[in-house]
Each structure stands twice: as structure tokens, then as C-alpha cells.
Amino acid sequence: QALEERLLESFTEIYSRGGAYEFNVTMGQKIRPGTIAWQELRKIAQACWLFEGGRNLHEAYVEAVVASRLPELFVNKREEEEKKKKEKEKKRLEAADEDGENPASDEEEEDDEVDIDATRTQLSSLFHRVSDVFVQEFQLIGHVFDYSAESEGTMTESIPLTVARALCARVIGDPQNGLQARISELL
């Protein structure tokens, strides 16, 4: 268990350093500075496969992706709502001061308004962000977790698919912070 913990920590540390995703180098070649050390990640993934098929590594990887690549999806909603309320109140008071109107009389009207263009922009931005992250991470998953050739005939072809599925489930289906929850919140 201690060995697995060290391997997981090493994997997370290497992944968190980040870098460009370049896969045009073969195993054993030195990677360019500023690129992610996918070859090292692959070696660690292969070693972690011996511990429950790498289940803990898959979970650690998904959490690292969520924390580093999609923090805007998983921010504390209360903090975000409070920030929006304060910004809205500040704008309302500034507009009332400029117009010389009573700010309390406009409060009900502003609550009923829905800014369709802003919602569409937010949804579009969210979809593009998630899509970009998925495209890059699926490439990394394919290179890091596909070690079927080295596993001496063991059925491991589904490992990249399992990891990709876990990532999608976490990002899209998380009931509190996932993409579905965020869409519902915006709509």
C-alpha cells in the first residue's frame, strides 16, 4: 500500500507540472522542455496496474484533471453566488445613483429579466472548454493508459476506455458540480 501511495503521488506530481501534450516522441526519447512527461506517467501507470488494476490511479487521474483543467466547473457554488449577488447589487446601486432613481423600485424588474445572450455565451464557452479538455485528455489517456502490448497477453485493451469513461462520468454527471448541473443552473 505504501508503494502504491508513492506511485500515485509521483503520478499526480508529474501530471500537475503540466506542459504541452506532444506525443510524437517514442518511448525512450527525451522529451522537450515544457511538454508533459507522458512517458514517465505511462511507466507509473503500468506499475499501478498491479494494484487492483490501477483503480486508485484512475481515480487520482480524474481528480487531477478536474482540479487542474476544469476548476471553473467545480468551484464552490455558494462563493460564486455571493460574488454574483454583490456584483449585481453594486451595478444596481451605481445605475440608480447615475439616474437619480430609487434603487429599491427597480429590484423586482431586474430579477425577472433573463439575459438570453449572456446565457448562450456562457453555455457555448462551457461546452468549448470541456470539449478542448476532453480532446487533449483523451489523447493523453490513449498514450499513458494503453499498455496492452507490454502486458503479455492480458486483456487490457479496455483500460483507456475505462479511464475515459470515468473522466466523462465525473465531469458530465457529477450531481453537484458536473456539466449537467452547470447547464441546469444556467438555464
Side-chain angles (χ1 to χ4, degrees), residues 82-96 103-104 107 110-111:
E82 288 297 318
K83 185 178 175 182
K84 285 181 181 179
K85 282 182 182 179
K86 286 179 183 179
E87 288 175 7
K88 186 176 181 180
E89 181 65 19
K90 183 179 175 183
K91 287 180 183 178
R92 188 177 64 77
L93 291 174
E94 287 174 358
E107 188 172 334
E110 285 188 25
D111 287 343

Side-chain angles (χ1 to χ4, degrees), residues 106-175:
D106 294 335
E107 188 172 334
E108 291 178 16
E109 291 176 22
E110 285 188 25
D111 287 343
D112 292 339
E113 291 181 27
V114 176
D115 190 356
I116 299 295
D117 290 333
T119 302
R120 181 181 21 234
T121 301
Q122 288 176 329
L123 284 171
S124 178
S125 173
L126 185 60
F127 289 141
H128 287 293
R129 176 80 177 118
V130 170
S131 174
D132 290 345
V133 169
F134 276 179
V135 166
Q136 291 177 345
E137 293 305 318
F138 290 165
Q139 290 176 353
L140 183 68
I141 288 169
H143 282 82
V144 171
F145 294 98
D146 186 19
Y147 34 82
S148 56
E150 291 91 12
S151 61
E152 298 176 7
T154 307
M155 297 270 307
T156 60
E157 290 81 26
S158 66
I159 292 174
L161 181 60
T162 301
V163 176
R165 190 176 292 138
L167 179 61
C168 288
R170 177 77 162 93
V171 171
I172 295 170
D174 185 286

